């Protein structure tokens, strides 16, 4: 009888007094946190230390937080990487997942800026803007420096680029190709650039209101000069022969 009573008490404590669907570590009277980890293979970019309560994700009931880069965090007071719980990383009011990839490691934290065209364009406020090659634009904001150059939301006009000897064309993984001003002149018609080969000329005047001619028109004009020269030579030969 005594043995049966003890078995019943043990059974009640182990099985009858708890909801089987609820993990044992979630009960308020249990002082042990979950042994689960929030992410697998946590290394660079993660804050994981079971001896430090700061790495405990209280909302996900697991150990380990992601370090998010400061640019990807919307709080303007954040100037260094910050360890965030998974719910915070999923919260668009906390992080800027529109422009930053929170699954991509950027050095020692997560949050690399989204790119396309092999890194020649980056996402800013949900739209993609050009990455300019180093030297192509002025007033560079150091916060806007990326791997392939620098980006800006300010429109870069043909005349602005031409002053520095650049043309708005794709140049590898960035925009802005530079031409030697002693060999080429850049003429702007609105925001369309025309490259003029100087061929040693030093007094070329950039008249942005001048009309442009196509290669075909130029060839036709050159052919007209050739024909006129041939006719002049023919007429001159006739005069010489008559003498």
């Amino acid at each position: 009888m005594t043995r049966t009573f003890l078995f019943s008490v043990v059974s009640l404590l182990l099985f009858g007094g708890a909801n089987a669907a609820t993990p044992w570590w979630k009960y308020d009277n249990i002082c042990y946190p979950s042994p689960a980890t929030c992410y697998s293979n946590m290394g660079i970019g993660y804050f994981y230390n079971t001896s430090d309560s700061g790495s405990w994700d209280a909302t996900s009931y697991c150990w380990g937080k992601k370090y998010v880069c400061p640019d990807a965090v919307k709080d303007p007071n954040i100037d260094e990487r910050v360890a965030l719980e998974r719910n915070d990383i999923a919260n668009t009011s906390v992080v800027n997942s529109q422009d930053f990839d929170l699954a991509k490691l950027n050095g020692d934290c997560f949050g690399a800026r989204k790119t396309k065209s092999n890194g020649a364009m980056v996402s800013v406020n949900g739209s993609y803007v050009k990455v300019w090659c180093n030297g192509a634009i002025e007033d560079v904001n150091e916060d806007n420096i990326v791997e392939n150059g620098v980006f800006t939301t300010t429109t870069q006009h043909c005349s602005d680029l031409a002053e520095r000897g650049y043309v708005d064309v794709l140049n590898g993984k960035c925009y802005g190709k530079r031409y030697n001003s002693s060999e080429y002149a850049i003429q702007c018609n609105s925001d369309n650039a025309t490259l003029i080969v100087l061929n040693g000329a030093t007094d070329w005047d950039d008249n942005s209101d001048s009309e442009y001619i196509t290669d075909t028109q130029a060839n036709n004009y050159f052919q007209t000069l050739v024909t006129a020269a041939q006719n002049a030579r023919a007429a001159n030969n006739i005069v010489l022969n008559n003498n």
Side-chain angles (χ1 to χ4, degrees), residues 11 28 45 54 68 89 91 107 119 132 150 153 171 179 185 192 198 200 234:
S11 298
D28 292 337
V68 177
I89 293 175
N91 190 342
W132 296 95
V150 62
T153 56
N171 182 21
Y179 289 89
N192 298 315
L198 296 179

Side-chain angles (χ1 to χ4, degrees), residues 228-241:
Q230 290 175 340
N231 293 337
R233 285 198 299 272
N236 189 46
N237 288 335
I238 293 175
V239 172
L240 291 175
N241 290 334

Side-chain angles (χ1 to χ4, degrees), residues 9-21:
V9 171
V10 171
S11 298
L12 178 64
L13 290 175
L14 291 179
F15 306 107
N19 185 346

Side-chain angles (χ1 to χ4, degrees), residues 26-158:
K26 285 191 177 181
Y27 287 100
D28 292 337
N29 61 338
I30 301 297
C31 298
Y32 301 99
S34 165
T37 56
C38 301
Y39 305 94
S40 60
N41 302 321
M42 284 180 284
I44 297 176
Y46 293 95
F47 178 28
Y48 175 64
N49 184 354
T50 56
S51 298
D52 188 335
S53 60
S55 69
W56 170 250
D57 187 332
T59 56
S60 299
Y61 304 104
C62 55
W63 287 102
K65 295 179 181 180
K66 262 187 180 182
Y67 280 116
V68 177
C69 300
D71 289 343
V73 181
K74 287 190 173 180
D75 186 345
N77 297 316
I78 298 297
D79 56 5
E80 58 184 14
R81 67 176 188 170
V82 58
L84 297 180
E85 297 183 356
R86 292 194 294 185
N87 282 4
D88 288 331
I89 293 175
N91 190 342
T92 56
S93 67
V94 176
V95 297
N96 181 3
S97 56
Q98 180 177 238
D99 297 326
F100 294 87
D101 186 347
L102 278 304
K104 188 173 182 180
L105 192 64
N106 182 21
D108 62 353
C109 53
F110 286 88
R113 188 176 287 275
K114 294 178 181 179
T115 67
K116 70 176 185 178
S117 302
N118 205 21
M121 302 192 77
V122 296
S123 179
V124 180
N125 298 326
S127 300
Y128 283 90
V129 300
K130 294 177 179 178
V131 173
W132 296 95
C133 302
N134 294 325
I137 65 174
E138 292 181 333
D139 301 327
V140 174
N141 185 335
E142 63 179 16
D143 293 333
N144 294 351
I145 296 175
V146 291
E147 182 178 359
N148 297 334
V150 62
F151 68 88
T152 179
T153 56
T154 304
T155 301
Q156 300 299 308
H157 297 288
C158 174

